[in-house]
Amino acid sequence: MLGVASALLLVLVLRGIFAGAIDQVTSYIRTSPATVFVSQEGVKTMHMSASALPPDTVERVRSVPGVTWASPIGFASGSVSGPQGRQLSYLIGYDTRTGRGGPARLEVGRAPGTGEAVLDEQAADGLGVHLGDTLTVLGTRLSLVGLSSGGSSITNTTVFVARTEFTNIRGDTDSYLLVGTEPTAAANVADRISAALPGVTTQTREEFATSEARIVTDMSADLLRLMSTIGLLIALAVIALGLMTATLNRIREYAVLKALGATTIRLAGSITVQVLWTVALASLLATTFAQLLSWTLPLLAPAVSITITSTALYQTTLGALAVGLLAALWPLRRIATLDAATAFRETR
Amino acid sequence: MTTADHTAPEQPTGRDRPVTVAVRGLTKTYGHGAAEVAAVREVDLDVHAGEVLLVMGPSGSGKTTLLLMLGALLRPTAGSIVVTGRDRRRVEIATTLERELPALRANTFGFIFQDYALLDALTATENIAVAANIAGIKGTAANRRARALLDRVGLAHRAAARPSQMSGGEQQRVSVARALANDPPVLLADEPTANLDASRGRDLSRLLRQLADEDDRSIVIVSHDNRLREVADRVLWLEDGRFKTLAGLVVDPVCRMQVEPTGPHVDWEGRTLWFCSEGCRTEFTADPQRFVAGGD
Ligand SMILES: Nc1ncnc2c1ncn2[C@@H]1O[C@H](COP(=O)(O)OP(=O)(O)OP(=O)(O)O)[C@@H](O)[C@H]1O
Ligand SMILES: [Mg+2]
């Protein structure tokens, strides 16, 4: 039981880390106030992408019915460095007057002005910078005035600057356009924008997040996926072996039960019930532990985040159940042909 | 339960009661050709209701083989075994179809194993309840029956204990209780005292005696253990797959053992009585009336 539980735990944690990584990567998009995102034609993601919108895009989108607001951001990938190191980072220039496109949460400090930046607190920790210190972003030295959260992932962190500062660093091109709509109208409005502006790519927040998750899954999270697949295989092997030996170890007991008058069908039934219980209890145990880990681990290692999804949960449990039943019932042939007389024979 | 029965030398207890197991010409041969082993050869045997029958014999004499055939766990090579169930129906075990055997076992026999053979993962109560389940008693009724049986073997206070937490004697009593779960007319025990110390062994043999007396059950015990003689109504000696001079054996009126009519004896009131030893003979001659009550 404990073996099965630890195997399931391994899978859940690996899948949790995987899902957590994806969550982090899409955090900026998912926490954005915008319900629709407009990007350069053919560009569907932020990660590893460069997007440049035609200059009249903002005005044209604003005139599409259903659009309540439209706010452009500048976006670039590069690195941020401080006294203790350097990290890959997104640079996002946003309208500090509305805050749209800025950090989802400002933990301390204030929004950036000219020559200033807001950095994710985890990255600030790692780079050894504090409020008031100077950091170098894409070659430009900026003063740190605020710490945000939710902007670091396994791939990179995020630096926020004012739109005007972004222009100084990278030029005046709008990269993405964040669009506000009535929440329920997002899909309709996105369609209308697509129709009105054929030269750009328009996606709802969910579409944009999905594209982003997919590219990250395809690229940087390959390793994690491989790990969680191997973990799953190992876990299933452990479960299979465990339950199979459990059945084989009880051969004598099954002989005794047969001597008492139990039929093979009854024995198969009791094995099935046993496997169901084992897997149910084990997955309960594993879930509890994984959940505990997902709360405690980020406190110890902030860069790791674990998200236990219900899909992961029922997939692993069903997998364990299927493999478990198969393995436990595999020796059934032996039980069926088992001579009840051996109940008396194997006494010595 | 009459003391008169016990003391009547040629009429051991139970002979006048209904026969629950009738065995005729029972034979078991293992293997073929050169590897052939005749484990049991043309055995005839009647076991009566309420009788405790002890089968003794050297190792390899076929005791376990005989017991397995009686319990429908091993198919005889030849011969017949007719058991009379609680419902008075007679069943020929030797020819019962394979798929009907489980039900036959569940309804007719209780098995007691040398090493108790309890399920490790289950408590005392659950072990008994499982057997009750197999015999068709469901749910809470099975648990109630399990507790009642534990009480009966004096283990009510150990109901929640697992086998690993119980002494050998306790485990064997649980296994006796389990054997009673289906209220079988016949109890079969293979070396039930072999793993128990002297006093536990004696307790167990008394318990078996009591079960035969109270419920009119037939109990067949296969054992090397001489302690079991004191509770047995009859002791049969198996050697080379045969009961040794079963017909020729007589009962020592003093110790009630089966003896061959070759040793110490007395002629008394026109009969010849045989004894296992000089000691028994001396005891008898000192006060014959004590041992042959009624003198019939
Ligand atoms: N499955 C088997 N295949 C072949 N021979 C067997 C088998 N089981 C028992 N025998 C042989 O049959 C004979 C009787 O065996 P059995 O186990 O009935 O003896 P036993 O009186 O119970 O002996 P013990 O007192 O040692 O338990 C022995 O010679 C044994 O070797
Ligand atoms: Mg034996």
Side-chain angles (χ1 to χ4, degrees), chain A residues 345 348, chain B residues 30-31 35 37-40 57-66 74 114 190-191 222 224 238:
Chain A
R345 290 297 184 193
R348 270 144 286 190
Chain B
Y30 290 112
V37 182
V40 172
S59 186
S61 57
K63 303 185 296 295
T64 299
T65 304
L66 174 65
L74 181 68
Q114 173 179 346
D190 195 354
E191 308 271 8
V222 152
H224 291 110
L238 196 66

Side-chain angles (χ1 to χ4, degrees), chain A residues 91-161:
Chain A
L91 177 65
I92 292 175
Y94 70 105
D95 184 345
T96 47
R97 281 167 307 153
T98 62
R100 290 169 186 150
R105 274 184 66 143
L106 201 54
E107 298 292 336
V108 283
R110 55 174 174 78
T114 307
E116 295 172 348
V118 165
L119 176 62
D120 189 83
E121 55 182 357
Q122 278 176 38
D125 254 11
L127 299 177
V129 287
H130 304 97
L131 287 191
D133 291 354
T134 302
L135 49 132
T136 309
V137 182
L138 277 71
T140 307
R141 293 167 63 78
L142 297 170
S143 158
L144 184 62
V145 296
L147 295 176
S148 60
S149 61
S152 286
S153 71
I154 46 159
T155 56
N156 58 265
T157 185
T158 310
V159 175
F160 292 94
V161 294

